[in-house]
Amino acid sequence: AATAMLTYANAGHSPVVYRDANGGMKMLEAAEPPLGILPELACVDTTVTMAPGDILMVASDGFPEANNESGEMLGYQRFMQMLDDVADRTAGQILEHLLDRVKEFAAGAPQSDDQTLIILKRSR
């Protein structure tokens, strides 16, 4: 039987956002320093059970650190609000929306960092 359990280890990656189906949102903070900083890696696994409608968003820091032409940074809160605005959509639709909104925010300013985004959403 499917358990919808997600086990992850976060070694310095940010932002990782978990949004539950009721709208609660939290950052899944890194428990360890980034890979390659220390000679030995001792990652801590954490497990969450995803309920229907729960969303996991893993993004490179090129998203919250995106700047517009005025030099204003998008920021984590605004990026999380963009996710919250479309949480009722499918994972693919959420992904496309976030990519479009960040591009609109940047409004022609050069991209200064990579932008990689993964959206997982439990449908049932």
Side-chain angles (χ1 to χ4, degrees):
T3 62
M5 292 176 68
L6 172 71
T7 301
Y8 68 92
N10 188 344
H13 191 279
S14 177
V16 177
V17 176
Y18 190 84
R19 184 193 185 279
D20 67 45
N22 296 320
M25 200 174 312
K26 64 181 177 181
M27 300 283 288
L28 302 181
E29 302 291 341
E32 301 295 330
L35 293 175
I37 300 294
L38 300 176
E40 304 231 359
L41 180 64
C43 283
V44 176
D45 290 348
T46 304
T47 301
V48 295
T49 301
M50 294 186 74
D54 286 2
I55 299 168
L56 180 75
M57 176 176 71
V58 182
S60 62
D61 58 3
F63 284 100
E65 294 176 5
N67 290 305
N68 62 19
E69 288 185 320
S70 302
E72 177 186 13
M73 191 180 297
L74 178 70
Y76 288 97
Q77 291 304 316
R78 195 175 335 206
F79 190 48
M80 290 167 62
Q81 183 60 52
M82 289 176 180
L83 169 64
D84 203 39
D85 291 345
V86 293
D88 61 331
R89 299 182 188 177
T90 67
Q93 292 168 333
I94 293 168
L95 179 88
E96 290 301 319
H97 177 82
L98 292 173
L99 293 172
D100 290 345
R101 291 290 309 275
V102 172
K103 188 175 183 178
E104 288 171 13
F105 174 81
Q111 184 176 325
S112 62
D113 201 351
D114 71 292
Q115 293 181 340
T116 304
L117 181 61
I118 299 171
I119 301 292
L120 298 175
K121 182 175 184 180
R122 181 170 177 202
S123 58
R124 38 185 162 127

